[in-house]
Structure formats: C-alpha cells, structure tokens
C-alpha cells in the first residue's frame, strides 16, 4: 500500500505507441468477423513497424522488432502476403520475425523469450489468432474466469517490458450489438483484461471499413479505412480526418435511406407532391421534401408529369435508361422492391446537398 504523497511524487514515463492513436503499449485485441481482412490488417501494421515507415498509409511509426505469430498460415502464404503489401521489389524487413507453428502451452514462453531479447527496443508482438492457443475450459470452471485468466496472463507478459505491445487477433460474436466492445467473442473476461480493443467492421464486397478504438489509455473513436489489394489505409489525411470521414459516410447513408423511403412512397401512389412527402415524413420540411423529389427525378428514379408533381417511372424509355445505368437489361416496369436495389452511389447523388 502507498499513500497519496508517494504517488504524487512519482515520475512515470509517457505512454508509448506502436501506432499512434491505434496501438498503444500493453495488451490489446483486434476483432472482426472471419474473412474481414484482419490478418492483412495486422500484417500491414507489423511490416510498417518492422520497417519504420507508415502504418495504414498515413501514420508515421518508429522502427522496432516485431514478432508475428501467424498460426493459421504457412511461410509461402505469408511471403506472398507480405510482398503484396510491401509492393514489388521491396524486401521483407529483417526486424520482422515469424512463427507459424506453436503448441498452446508453448506460446507464453515464446512471447516471454522474445520480449526478454528485445526488452530495450519496445517490441511489438502480433498473435494471430487467440483461438489457436486458447486452452480448453476445465470441467466445472467458470467461463468468465477462464477467459479473464488467459487475458491476464498475456497482459502480465507485455506489462513486464516497458513500451511493448501485444496485439491479439480474435473473432467477433455472431450476435449484433450497439456497443462495439460487445462484439468480442467469448465472455467479457477477455475484453475486460485487455488494455485496448480494436473492432474492424467491413461489409462484404466493400472496400470501405470502420476501425473502432477504445481502451484504458486510448481516446475512444472510430476511423474510416479503405482496403485495396490487401493494403489497409486511413480514409483521410490523418486520424482526425479519418474520424470525420466516418461521420460523412454515416450522413450519406442516412440520406440514402431516407431517399429510398421517399422513393418507395412515390412508387406506391399515382401522384405525389412535396406537401404529400412533408405530411408523410413529419421530420422533413417542405423545402427539403421538394429537394429530395427533385434530385430523385434528376437521377431518373421517378417521373415528373407536370410542375411540382411526381409519379412512379412508367415510360419504357425511362425504365430502360434507369436499368441500364444500374447494370440491368430487362425493360419491364420496376416494382417498389426493384427500386430498393438501386445503387447506393446513385442514391447518394440524388440526396447530395441535403443536410
């Protein structure tokens, strides 16, 4: 036990970062659904730190020893992945150390040995994945207690070496939640033992993603990312810009959703005016209702038989034009459900400027 005077007199070193704003010193998790690209994400982080270049294409990082325990991959696959991330002709950095096979009981000793060897260089260790080394729960053992014990053991390892980071790849749970921390698979024991948590969210077939970050010493935020050919990068000039991009994307999605609702409303009636939309959607004023209708018409989603009045698309030429622009070839009149498959890009264009 210490008293306040002793604590007040202490001088502690500042928090160190493997990747500023994303990966601090300590034990952390990165979680995402299967095949979301998290192994490519951590490989890019590891290569950047072992080289001393740019992480996520924008964040300057210091060179440090990196241990990448890629327990779900082989050497050939890793070589190809690293070369694709680095680019043609760029050698894989010598400071990146790779292990592809390890018995669960040996992983702790391996991590401890690497930390001891590089204790003066603030090493980064990446464990991919936790599931490969997690021991089975003993009979009668509480699940939370078992998970917390695993996390605590990993945390104790990295806490013993100042400035070092341990980033562990883990899966998300299937159930959805409004709190991204709840996405961590297993009990709250694993998440509770971690110093920081990264949650990578990406829709299938999309190059856009969001990285949610939280932790004991990490400013909680969400950052927009993009991925191309296995390379992950911030969608913005820096973290502040990438956070603003997340808000911009959310606003566009909200506008597109509302535009789709209005499109369905117009398609269900013979004729619609701005006053009709205002009456149906009470949170939209007359001016914005008119703007939505005008932009939907300009994008070819609805007809305008006369001034101030809109109706569903019915002319064959209009149907053909709208379907061809969306990549369709049939000439029939679209139903309301057909309209719901209109591309997000065209809907964003139809609502641009409405805030």
């Amino acid at each position: 036990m210490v008293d306040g005077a002793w604590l007040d007199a202490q001088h502690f070193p500042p928090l160190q970062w493997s990747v500023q704003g994303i990966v601090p010193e300590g034990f952390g998790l990165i979680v995402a659904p299967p095949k979301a690209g998290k192994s490519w994400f951590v490989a890019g982080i590891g290569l950047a730190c072992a080289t001393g270049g740019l992480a996520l294409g924008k964040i300057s990082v210091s060179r440090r020893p990196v241990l990448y325990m890629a327990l779900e991959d082989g050497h050939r696959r890793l070589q190809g992945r690293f070369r694709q991330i680095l680019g043609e002709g760029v050698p894989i950095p010598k400071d990146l150390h790779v292990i592809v096979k390890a018995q669960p009981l040996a992983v702790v000793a391996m991590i401890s040995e690497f930390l001891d060897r590089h204790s003066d260089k603030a090493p980064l260790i990446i464990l991919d994945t936790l599931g490969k080394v997690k021991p089975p729960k003993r009979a009668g053992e509480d699940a939370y207690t078992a998970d917390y014990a695993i996390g605590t053991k990993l945390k104790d390892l990295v806490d013993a070496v100042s400035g070092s980071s341990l980033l562990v790849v883990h899966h998300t749970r299937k159930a959805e939640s409004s709190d991204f921390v709840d996405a961590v698979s297993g009990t709250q024991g694993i998440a509770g033992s971690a110093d920081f948590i990264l949650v990578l969210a990406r829709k299938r077939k999309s190059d856009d993603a969001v990285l949610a970050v939280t932790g004991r010493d990490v400013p909680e935020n969400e950052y927009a990312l993009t991925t191309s050919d296995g390379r992950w990068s911030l969608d913005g000039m820096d973290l502040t810009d990438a956070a603003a991009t997340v808000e911009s994307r959310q606003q566009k999605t909200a506008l597109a959703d509302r535009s789709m609702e209005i499109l369905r409303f117009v398609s269900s009636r013979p004729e619609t005016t701005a006053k009709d939309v205002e009456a149906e959607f009470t949170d939209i004023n007359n001016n914005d209702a008119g703007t939505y209708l005008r932009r939907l018409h300009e994008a070819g989603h609805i007809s305008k038989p006369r001034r101030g009045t809109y109706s569903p698309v019915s002319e064959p030429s209009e149907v053909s034009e709208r379907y061809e622009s969306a990549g369709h070839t049939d000439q029939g009149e679209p139903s309301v459900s057909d309209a719901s498959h209109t591309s997000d890009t065209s809907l964003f264009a139809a609502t641009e400027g409405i805030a």
Side-chain angles (χ1 to χ4, degrees):
M1 183 175 66
V2 299
D3 59 26
W6 179 91
L7 185 60
D8 193 49
Q10 302 309 301
H11 297 280
F12 299 104
L15 183 73
Q16 295 190 50
W17 297 85
S18 291
V19 180
Q20 185 70 36
I22 303 290
V23 182
E25 62 178 292
F27 162 53
L29 300 169
I30 175 166
V31 301
K35 312 306 180 203
K38 53 187 177 295
S39 289
W40 287 84
F41 179 91
V42 296
I45 294 291
L47 288 167
C49 289
T51 305
L54 295 175
L56 300 175
K58 306 290 175 63
I59 306 173
S60 180
V61 295
S62 300
R63 183 176 176 179
R64 68 189 65 224
V66 176
L67 172 61
Y68 185 16
M69 306 185 78
L71 305 183
E72 294 186 339
D73 297 302
H75 291 130
R76 181 170 62 180
R77 181 183 296 169
L78 287 177
Q79 183 191 70
R81 183 178 297 167
F82 293 162
R83 286 178 174 175
Q84 186 168 332
I85 293 172
L86 290 167
E88 186 176 355
V90 180
I92 298 171
K94 185 177 178 60
D95 278 341
L96 179 67
H97 308 266
V98 173
I99 293 175
V100 296
K101 290 183 180 181
Q103 295 297 321
L105 296 178
V107 167
V108 170
M110 290 176 171
I111 294 175
S112 179
E113 177 68 18
F114 189 83
L115 287 169
D116 287 343
R117 290 187 181 187
H118 304 281
S119 59
D120 59 337
K121 298 178 181 178
L124 166 65
I125 296 144
I126 298 169
L127 174 58
D128 187 4
T129 64
L130 179 63
K132 276 288 186 178
V133 302
K134 183 180 176 183
K137 185 170 69 72
R138 295 189 297 269
E141 185 179 21
D142 177 70
Y144 177 92
T145 302
D147 285 346
Y148 193 81
I150 296 166
T152 300
K153 183 173 290 187
L154 294 172
K155 175 175 167 54
D156 289 344
L157 283 174
V158 72
D159 283 351
V161 178
S162 178
S164 62
S165 302
L166 172 58
L167 183 59
V168 178
V169 178
H170 193 38
H171 295 306
T172 54
R173 65 172 70 238
K174 292 183 179 180
E176 294 185 359
S177 172
S178 58
D179 186 345
F180 64 80
V181 175
D182 289 338
V184 180
S185 180
T187 70
Q188 291 296 326
I190 295 175
S193 63
D195 294 308
F196 62 96
I197 298 173
L198 314 178
V199 180
L200 182 63
R202 179 179 70 87
K203 291 183 178 180
R204 299 296 180 194
K205 300 182 181 180
S206 174
D207 293 335
D208 292 339
V210 172
L211 183 69
V213 181
T214 190
R216 297 187 176 103
D217 302 302
V218 184
E220 185 170 288
N221 215 331
E222 293 181 327
Y223 304 109
L225 303 178
T226 59
T227 181
S228 177
D229 295 327
R231 300 184 186 94
W232 285 93
S233 61
L234 284 178
D235 191 358
M237 296 300 296
D238 52 26
L239 288 173
T240 301
D241 199 18
T245 301
V246 173
E247 295 184 7
S248 176
R249 287 182 186 173
Q250 292 171 343
Q251 290 173 0
K252 285 185 176 182
T253 299
L255 290 174
D257 289 344
R258 176 45 56 93
S259 184
M260 186 66 75
E261 292 173 355
I262 294 174
L263 176 58
R264 293 194 182 102
F265 178 65
V266 174
S267 298
S268 68
R269 303 159 50 88
E271 291 186 344
T272 302
T273 65
K275 288 186 177 180
D276 295 329
V277 173
E278 182 183 15
E280 177 69 16
F281 303 93
T282 56
D283 59 330
I284 299 178
N285 61 39
N286 189 264
N287 287 336
D288 283 350
T291 303
Y292 273 110
L293 290 169
R294 177 173 56 81
R295 293 190 179 277
L296 284 170
H297 172 251
E298 291 173 352
H301 303 312
I302 58 177
S303 298
K304 187 178 181 181
R306 59 184 180 277
R307 183 177 180 181
T309 303
Y310 299 86
S311 62
V313 173
S314 57
E315 294 296 327
S317 59
E318 290 181 286
V319 176
S320 175
E321 181 180 351
R322 182 157 74 95
Y323 265 55
E324 287 175 2
S325 68
H328 298 282
T329 57
D330 57 312
Q331 302 297 312
E333 181 177 344
S335 65
V336 175
S337 61
D338 290 328
S340 70
H341 290 85
T342 305
S343 68
D344 288 344
T345 301
S346 63
L347 284 177
F348 289 163
T351 56
E352 185 179 358
I354 302 176

